[in-house]
């Protein structure tokens, strides 16, 4: 799930950069790319994977 959110942020950052849209400092393409990288790192680390750890009996 976090990987999908990261992909969406990368697309939005690309569109802002490609269209040369001026935004405020919070929604700049660099900040969106860094948020996407953070979400991607969390996804690779296994956080938000949607799986529950199995119980040992």
């Amino acid at each position: 799930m976090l990987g999908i959110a990261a992909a969406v942020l990368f697309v939005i950052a690309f569109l802002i950069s490609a269209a040369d849209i001026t935004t405020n400092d919070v929604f700049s393409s660099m900040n969106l790319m860094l948020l996407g990288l953070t979400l991607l790192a969390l996804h690779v680390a296994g956080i938000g994977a949607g799986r529950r750890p199995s119980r040992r009996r």
Side-chain angles (χ1 to χ4, degrees):
M1 191 67 174
L2 291 175
I4 294 171
V8 169
L9 284 176
F10 286 140
V11 167
I12 292 171
F14 172 74
L15 290 176
I16 289 173
S17 179
D20 200 24
I21 298 172
T22 56
T23 59
N24 59 7
D25 291 336
V26 177
F27 294 111
S28 68
S29 64
M30 180 61 83
N31 286 345
L32 288 177
M33 284 190 285
L34 289 175
L35 282 173
L37 284 174
T38 302
L39 289 177
L40 192 59
L42 289 173
H43 175 73
V44 169
I47 298 172
R51 287 195 239 167
R52 295 182 185 156
S54 61
R55 292 185 182 181
R56 292 187 179 184
R57 292 185 178 190

